[in-house]
Amino acid sequence: MTRWTTAALVTALALTGLTGLTACSDENSPSSVASKVASAASRAGDAVSSATAEAGRRFDDIKNGVDAKADVRLGTPATASDGRTTVAVTATNSADSSKSFAVQVDFTDKNGKLLDVVVVTVPDVPAGGSGKGTARSTHGLSGDVRATVSRAVRY
């Protein structure tokens, strides 16, 4: 069990333990609420694992790519009206011909805990020029969300 899951369970048990003393039904018992919290935490962890695996598959499909992490810059993350986090991606092409970029953006909390992973394609960036894209989280994120380039490939 991850530290986050354990902390969520302890918090849920503490909160429900106080209210569970005054009223307790089968649907809202402390163990039922703790189970729901654990289930939600597990689904969140599964979603991040799934997104990370999908990002890996997308990079595996790229043939003859060159590491371009140093050629990619991110803007400041912002929360859209639907709760999803977006961040501007700028890729600079130092090659002598038009290239495309695949960029893995990791969304983390202020402590570095991975919240989401997305891959953005910035297509047809001209030689010596820059191209732009937008990374958008796959679900709503809350709190102080940070974005980092985990990896980038020029192809």
Side-chain angles (χ1 to χ4, degrees):
M1 190 177 298
T2 67
R3 283 186 281 169
W4 185 87
T5 304
T6 303
L9 284 173
V10 169
T11 302
L13 287 172
L15 292 174
T16 58
L18 295 174
T19 60
L21 293 175
T22 59
C24 189
S25 71
D26 288 342
E27 291 181 12
N28 293 319
S29 69
S31 62
S32 156
V33 172
S35 176
K36 290 175 186 174
V37 169
S39 177
S42 176
R43 285 192 305 272
D46 290 346
V48 172
S49 293
S50 178
T52 303
E54 178 59 25
R57 283 190 289 278
R58 292 199 46 199
F59 277 88
D60 289 345
D61 289 342
I62 297 172
K63 304 299 178 214
N64 300 319
V66 175
D67 179 17
K69 187 174 175 180
D71 298 329
V72 177
R73 300 285 175 255
L74 299 180
T76 302
T79 302
S81 61
D82 63 357
R84 293 186 181 196
T85 301
T86 62
V87 65
V89 178
T90 303
T92 302
N93 183 5
S94 58
D96 57 2
S97 63
S98 180
K99 300 289 182 182
S100 294
F101 290 75
V103 180
Q104 179 178 327
V105 177
D106 291 352
F107 291 104
T108 63
D109 67 11
K110 67 181 180 180
N111 298 316
K113 178 181 177 278
L114 188 62
L115 303 173
D116 200 3
V117 175
V118 296
V119 175
V120 176
T121 302
V122 182
D124 305 319
V125 180
S130 295
K132 296 190 180 290
T134 301
R136 178 179 165 86
S137 65
T138 61
H139 57 281
L141 304 176
S142 61
D144 184 8
V145 178
R146 316 267 169 106
T148 58
V149 175
S150 175
R151 58 184 163 169
V153 174
R154 182 182 69 221
Y155 59 99

